[in-house]
Amino acid sequence: MSLNLHNKDFVSTRNLDRKTIDAILKESSKFDKGNYKKLNKTIALLFFEPSTRTHLSFSTAVRKLGASEIGFSNPKASSLAKGESFSDTIKVVERYADAIVIRHPLQGAAAFAADLSSVPIINAGDGANQHPTQAMLDLYTILKKKGKIDGLKILLVGDLKYGRTIHSLVFALSNYNIELSLYSPPSLALPERMVDELRSRGTKVNILENLDFSGQDVIYATRVQKERFADLEEYERSRYKISIKDADTMKRDAILMHPLPRIDEIDTAFDKTKHAAYFDEAANGVPVRMALLSLILGGK
Ligand code: CP
């Protein structure tokens, strides 16, 4: 398979076309089945912000590929703590690694690093902007659970304004023939410019006033981020909770996804239902990130 990811940065889903996404998903399935070659490369994981899934699944992916990992998950243990700049950090690490995976609290940090770096930059989440590898594992999860993406009704719930997983997912989904419904607290709606862009790409977008799961094939919930609210009362008003009772209002074969971490927006009792897909979703981070690393570094 020839794919234009070789030696390329992977910082956003905005410009990914369907052919490329379908190829990533197909390749991920091969890695999921254990059908892959080793990758004799060094990969730097630079995490400037906390992470469980993204960091550990990239780390697992690197080990399973037989590649070498360098990096840090605590920038205070690097020379950044002595005042070294982000730019100098990237210019040094690119001399040690064949690719750099970056999570950073600032929007645009990955794109900035990509402009500086001679080795590919993979965005593992930059502020409220993008989390493109999460979107790939989300699509892979939908495909694996539902057997298709086209024709599905997909509901996004929660913080659609600041949720980087949402921003990456909606642009990736806009390559497919889906019907998208959005439900959020009023202050956390998907930015209007994004809704307009999705509609101009031909995606049907419904804005819901009430949380209604009926008829949806995929429900994708996200955390309402307390830290975004100056007014704690508004935060309390904005919270929602999916409980075991809500399972009765869902289609029999509907799946409930969540990029995690969850706080309390999905009752843990829901985990035992056949709808709960979020832990399998987290597991899919490994084959999908193995496939991405191999496609970018030319290991296949
Ligand atoms: N889904 C996700 O990005 O989780 P982490 O913040 O734990 O990496």
Side-chain angles (χ1 to χ4, degrees):
M1 175 179 47
S2 108
L3 193 62
N4 64 357
L5 289 179
H6 182 68
N7 261 332
K8 295 277 169 58
D9 303 308
F10 197 77
V11 296
S12 171
T13 58
R14 207 177 203 112
N15 299 320
L16 286 181
D17 59 21
R18 178 167 178 153
K19 202 170 147 202
T20 305
I21 297 174
D22 282 344
I24 292 168
L25 301 181
K26 195 171 167 193
E27 203 68 3
S28 299
S29 175
K30 288 190 207 163
F31 281 79
D32 212 357
K33 291 176 183 139
N35 173 18
Y36 57 87
K37 287 186 188 147
K38 295 288 182 191
L39 184 65
N40 185 21
K41 300 284 181 183
T42 298
I43 294 148
L45 306 186
L46 305 188
F47 278 66
F48 297 81
E49 198 187 50
S51 167
T52 296
R53 281 146 291 275
T54 312
H55 190 201
L56 295 183
S57 64
F58 261 117
S59 190
T60 307
V62 169
R63 282 155 209 247
K64 288 183 89 163
L65 286 167
S68 306
E69 176 186 328
I70 60 168
F72 53 75
S73 55
N74 176 12
K76 287 189 183 140
S78 77
S79 284
L80 285 147
K82 299 178 210 159
E84 186 166 37
S85 67
F86 178 72
S87 308
D88 280 2
T89 304
I90 298 300
K91 283 181 204 159
V92 170
V93 176
E94 70 171 347
R95 286 165 164 82
Y96 302 147
D98 299 296
I100 305 175
V101 176
I102 295 180
R103 168 167 291 192
H104 200 283
L106 289 182
Q107 177 166 334
F112 179 73
D115 282 345
L116 287 173
S117 172
S118 60
V119 302
I121 297 291
I122 300 172
N123 184 0
D126 62 324
N129 185 32
Q130 282 272 322
H131 195 349
T133 66
Q134 175 75 40
M136 294 303 102
L137 75 90
D138 289 338
L139 291 193
Y140 184 67
T141 302
I142 294 171
L143 189 59
K144 211 171 156 183
K145 297 268 180 198
K146 306 296 295 176
K148 62 176 185 177
I149 299 173
D150 282 318
L152 295 179
K153 290 187 172 182
I154 300 176
L155 168 64
L156 308 182
V157 184
D159 178 354
L160 310 185
K161 183 175 182 181
Y162 298 109
R164 59 191 172 203
T165 67
I166 293 286
H167 301 159
S168 285
L169 182 59
V170 292
F171 288 113
L173 281 172
S174 71
N175 289 286
Y176 297 85
N177 179 25
I178 52 123
E179 186 174 328
L180 201 58
S181 294
L182 310 176
Y183 175 80
S184 68
S187 61
L188 296 178
L190 192 70
E192 228 171 87
R193 63 185 159 73
M194 283 196 199
V195 175
D196 291 346
E197 191 175 336
L198 292 169
R199 286 184 172 143
S200 74
R201 289 174 178 222
T203 303
K204 185 171 181 196
V205 183
N206 312 308
I207 316 278
L208 304 189
E209 293 197 350
N210 297 302
L211 185 51
D212 179 5
F213 301 112
S214 60
Q216 301 294 340
D217 299 297
V218 176
I219 299 141
Y220 189 98
T222 60
R223 178 169 72 96
V224 174
Q225 301 170 72
K226 190 175 181 180
E227 60 272 25
R228 304 293 183 194
F229 289 84
D231 178 355
L232 275 185
E233 280 181 18
E234 198 198 336
Y235 166 68
E236 290 302 333
R237 280 196 300 276
S238 302
R239 293 169 72 184
Y240 69 95
K241 188 156 191 160
I242 301 177
S243 77
I244 189 88
K245 282 188 189 147
D246 290 312
D248 296 337
T249 70
M250 294 178 184
K251 277 176 84 171
R252 233 163 26 97
D253 60 350
I255 59 168
L256 176 61
M257 298 173 65
H258 191 305
L260 304 178
R262 78 172 146 189
I263 305 306
D264 56 5
E265 54 278 4
I266 301 175
D267 196 327
T268 52
F270 202 95
D271 300 357
K272 293 196 273 305
T273 71
K274 59 183 181 303
H275 305 290
Y278 27 92
F279 291 116
D280 290 342
E281 183 183 351
N284 289 334
V286 174
V288 171
R289 289 178 170 125
M290 287 173 82
L292 282 167
L293 289 171
S294 288
L295 288 165
I296 291 168
L297 291 173
K300 284 288 289 179

